[in-house]
Amino acid sequence: FISHNGFPCYIDNSIFVSPLYLTNVFDYCIDFLNDHSKETIIVHLKKEAIPNEIPNKLVKYIENHKEYFYIGKTIPKLGKVRKRIVVITREGYLGTKIEVGEMGDCREYDSKNKQCYPSIDVIILFVQDAYSLDGTEKWDFVHDILTNNISSKCKI
């Protein structure tokens, strides 16, 4: 099941509360894509504290739903992946591998603090994973990325 910072995530379906699994998230994504066929979903999977068999289970799920997934080694053009989920990983075990620097040491946001964002100019792919920031600073950080006040690019 999915957890965030050690806290489990749950599905609350008003009758039962059950653990949220990645397959549930992908099922929701597939439902969304069926309703919005011109959309694309980009999923960045970060392998953290998960058993080694999880990627194998994930590959099996994707194989069973392959018409909804793009797991190529390059970032595709949008027209090629409409109504699909583009999978990106840092470890390269599935989909496109991206190299993103560790951002956990970013504890106080300042646009000049290079610990808060990677800046590698290969392709424009904006990344924000400064999970140690508080809510206000995180919003400032995201705003600065989206308005090009800072460069936050990673290597593909």
Coordinates of all heavy atoms in Angstrom, one line a residue, residues 1-10 18-26 45 50:
F1 N 0.8 -1.2 0.0 CA 0.0 0.0 0.0 C 0.9 1.2 0.0 O 2.1 1.2 0.3 CB -1.0 0.0 1.2 CG -0.3 0.0 2.5 CD1 0.0 1.2 3.2 CD2 0.1 -1.2 3.2 CE1 0.6 1.2 4.4 CE2 0.7 -1.2 4.4 CZ 1.0 0.0 5.0
I2 N 0.3 2.4 -0.3 CA 1.0 3.6 -0.5 C 1.1 4.3 0.9 O 0.1 4.3 1.7 CB 0.3 4.5 -1.5 CG1 0.3 3.9 -2.9 CG2 0.9 5.9 -1.5 CD1 -0.4 4.6 -3.9
S3 N 2.2 4.9 1.2 CA 2.4 5.7 2.4 C 3.1 7.0 2.0 O 3.8 7.0 1.0 CB 3.1 4.9 3.5 OG 4.4 4.7 3.1
H4 N 3.0 8.0 2.9 CA 3.7 9.2 2.7 C 4.3 9.6 4.0 O 3.6 9.7 5.0 CB 2.7 10.3 2.2 CG 3.4 11.6 1.9 ND1 3.6 12.6 2.8 CD2 4.1 12.0 0.8 CE1 4.3 13.6 2.2 NE2 4.6 13.2 1.0
N5 N 5.7 9.7 4.0 CA 6.4 9.9 5.3 C 6.1 9.0 6.4 O 6.0 9.3 7.5 CB 6.2 11.4 5.7 CG 6.9 12.4 4.8 OD1 7.8 12.1 4.2 ND2 6.4 13.6 4.8
G6 N 5.8 7.7 6.0 CA 5.6 6.7 7.0 C 4.1 6.5 7.4 O 3.7 5.6 8.1
F7 N 3.2 7.4 6.9 CA 1.8 7.4 7.2 C 1.1 6.7 6.1 O 1.2 7.2 4.9 CB 1.3 8.8 7.5 CG 1.9 9.5 8.7 CD1 2.9 10.4 8.5 CD2 1.4 9.1 9.9 CE1 3.4 11.0 9.6 CE2 2.0 9.8 11.1 CZ 3.0 10.7 10.9
P8 N 0.3 5.6 6.4 CA -0.4 4.9 5.3 C -1.5 5.8 4.7 O -2.1 6.6 5.4 CB -1.0 3.7 6.0 CG -0.9 4.0 7.4 CD 0.1 5.0 7.7
C9 N -1.7 5.7 3.4 CA -2.8 6.3 2.7 C -4.0 5.3 2.6 O -3.8 4.1 2.3 CB -2.4 6.8 1.4 SG -1.0 8.0 1.4
Y10 N -5.2 5.8 2.7 CA -6.4 5.0 2.6 C -7.4 5.4 1.6 O -7.5 6.6 1.3 CB -7.0 4.9 4.0 CG -6.2 4.2 5.0 CD1 -5.4 4.9 5.9 CD2 -6.2 2.8 5.1 CE1 -4.6 4.3 6.9 CE2 -5.4 2.1 6.0 CZ -4.6 2.9 6.9 OH -3.8 2.2 7.8
S18 N -10.0 1.2 3.4 CA -9.0 0.2 3.0 C -7.7 0.9 2.5 O -7.7 2.0 2.1 CB -9.5 -0.8 2.0 OG -9.9 -0.1 0.8
P19 N -6.6 0.2 2.6 CA -5.3 0.8 2.1 C -5.4 1.1 0.7 O -6.0 0.5 -0.1 CB -4.3 -0.4 2.4 CG -4.9 -1.3 3.3 CD -6.4 -1.2 3.1
L20 N -4.7 2.2 0.3 CA -4.6 2.7 -1.1 C -3.3 2.0 -1.7 O -2.2 2.2 -1.2 CB -4.5 4.2 -1.1 CG -4.3 4.8 -2.5 CD1 -5.6 4.6 -3.3 CD2 -4.0 6.3 -2.3
Y21 N -3.5 1.3 -2.8 CA -2.4 0.7 -3.5 C -2.2 1.5 -4.8 O -3.1 2.2 -5.3 CB -2.8 -0.8 -3.8 CG -2.8 -1.6 -2.6 CD1 -4.0 -1.8 -1.9 CD2 -1.7 -2.2 -2.1 CE1 -4.1 -2.6 -0.8 CE2 -1.7 -3.0 -1.0 CZ -2.9 -3.2 -0.3 OH -3.0 -4.0 0.8
L22 N -1.0 1.3 -5.3 CA -0.6 2.0 -6.6 C -1.6 1.6 -7.7 O -2.0 2.4 -8.5 CB 0.8 1.7 -6.9 CG 1.3 2.5 -8.2 CD1 1.2 4.0 -8.0 CD2 2.8 2.1 -8.4
T23 N -2.0 0.3 -7.7 CA -3.0 -0.1 -8.7 C -4.3 0.6 -8.6 O -4.9 0.9 -9.6 CB -3.2 -1.6 -8.6 OG1 -3.6 -2.0 -7.3 CG2 -2.0 -2.4 -9.0
N24 N -4.7 1.0 -7.4 CA -5.9 1.8 -7.2 C -5.7 3.2 -7.9 O -6.6 3.7 -8.6 CB -6.3 2.1 -5.8 CG -6.5 0.8 -5.0 OD1 -5.8 0.6 -4.0 ND2 -7.5 0.0 -5.4
V25 N -4.5 3.8 -7.7 CA -4.2 5.1 -8.3 C -4.3 4.9 -9.8 O -4.8 5.8 -10.5 CB -2.9 5.6 -7.8 CG1 -2.5 6.9 -8.5 CG2 -2.9 5.8 -6.3
F26 N -3.6 3.9 -10.3 CA -3.6 3.7 -11.8 C -5.0 3.4 -12.3 O -5.4 3.9 -13.4 CB -2.7 2.6 -12.2 CG -1.2 3.0 -12.2 CD1 -0.2 2.1 -11.8 CD2 -0.8 4.3 -12.6 CE1 1.1 2.5 -11.8 CE2 0.5 4.7 -12.6 CZ 1.5 3.8 -12.2
L45 N 7.6 7.9 -10.5 CA 7.7 6.9 -9.5 C 9.1 6.9 -8.8 O 10.1 6.9 -9.5 CB 7.5 5.5 -10.0 CG 6.1 5.2 -10.7 CD1 6.1 3.8 -11.3 CD2 5.0 5.4 -9.7
I50 N 10.6 0.4 -0.5 CA 9.6 -0.6 -1.0 C 10.3 -1.9 -1.2 O 11.5 -1.9 -1.6 CB 8.9 -0.1 -2.2 CG1 9.8 0.1 -3.4 CG2 8.1 1.2 -2.0 CD1 9.1 0.4 -4.7

